[in-house]
Amino acid sequence: MGWILISLLLFTNPLIAGHHLDLKANEAFNMQNNLYKVLTLNEWDHSQVSGFITTELDLKDGFIHLSTATQLNATLSLYFAKEESVVLLQLDRAQTHDKIKFEPPIPSGDRIGLFPHYYGDLNTNAISRTWYLNRGAFEIPSEVMLQAEQDPNF
């Protein structure tokens, strides 16, 4: 799993706030909070105004799509390939665990395994850390990222 996190750092560079302020930047990284949500900058702006994290896809599917740390690299590459910058949210597991179900990927496709889906209204107060990410110089092939999801202990 360590190389996945390293490759994530190679694929994306943290964007140090810029005109955005990371209100939770001083909080310690918590290894137990291993669920993440990726948003476009516009989705994040909307979430900050509304106080709730949701996207059009989430509304359509009836739950909020999340990723584990192991799944994050492929999620970024497959669903955010056209974005130059995104926001990565780490969720506080203590505040979200009762509404999480691990289910097959929706929509189905090349990805396998179980993915965290949040059923309910996800308040922005459930965020433990926020990062702004820019597209980096390296691109990891999709096949390699999908392979990592199949056997994260290899």
Side-chain angles (χ1 to χ4, degrees), residues 11-74:
F11 181 72
T12 56
N13 296 325
L15 173 64
I16 308 302
H19 71 281
H20 297 282
L21 178 62
D22 181 355
L23 299 175
K24 304 205 178 207
N26 294 327
E27 292 185 16
F29 181 78
N30 184 338
M31 291 295 286
Q32 300 305 311
N33 293 334
N34 61 348
L35 298 179
Y36 298 89
K37 177 68 175 170
V38 180
L39 297 174
T40 65
L41 295 178
N42 287 337
E43 290 167 341
W44 176 233
D45 288 344
H46 176 74
S47 294
Q48 289 179 300
V49 170
S50 71
F52 294 95
I53 302 164
T54 190
T55 66
E56 288 183 26
L57 179 63
D58 297 335
L59 292 172
K60 178 179 132 323
D61 289 342
F63 58 85
I64 298 172
H65 292 267
L66 302 174
S67 296
T68 64
T70 305
Q71 298 162 337
L72 194 52
N73 221 2

Side-chain angles (χ1 to χ4, degrees), residues 12-152:
T12 56
N13 296 325
L15 173 64
I16 308 302
H19 71 281
H20 297 282
L21 178 62
D22 181 355
L23 299 175
K24 304 205 178 207
N26 294 327
E27 292 185 16
F29 181 78
N30 184 338
M31 291 295 286
Q32 300 305 311
N33 293 334
N34 61 348
L35 298 179
Y36 298 89
K37 177 68 175 170
V38 180
L39 297 174
T40 65
L41 295 178
N42 287 337
E43 290 167 341
W44 176 233
D45 288 344
H46 176 74
S47 294
Q48 289 179 300
V49 170
S50 71
F52 294 95
I53 302 164
T54 190
T55 66
E56 288 183 26
L57 179 63
D58 297 335
L59 292 172
K60 178 179 132 323
D61 289 342
F63 58 85
I64 298 172
H65 292 267
L66 302 174
S67 296
T68 64
T70 305
Q71 298 162 337
L72 194 52
N73 221 2
T75 296
L76 284 165
S77 180
L78 296 171
Y79 300 105
F80 295 91
K82 295 181 181 177
E83 300 295 326
E84 289 300 316
S85 298
V86 296
V87 178
L88 176 62
L89 307 174
Q90 182 188 50
L91 301 181
D92 183 344
R93 187 77 174 233
Q95 293 186 50
T96 58
H97 74 279
D98 60 335
K99 294 187 178 184
I100 299 284
K101 292 183 182 178
F102 283 82
E103 301 174 310
I106 298 173
S108 60
D110 292 336
R111 300 184 86 180
I112 63 167
L114 300 178
F115 288 77
H117 298 152
Y118 184 91
Y119 287 87
D121 295 327
L122 184 53
N123 192 296
T124 55
N125 292 335
I127 300 168
S128 61
R129 284 292 303 266
T130 304
W131 296 270
Y132 290 84
L133 306 177
N134 275 338
R135 180 161 304 286
F138 300 102
E139 183 175 332
I140 298 170
S142 298
E143 298 82 3
V144 174
M145 288 182 284
L146 293 171
Q147 180 186 32
E149 287 185 356
Q150 292 175 24
D151 190 4

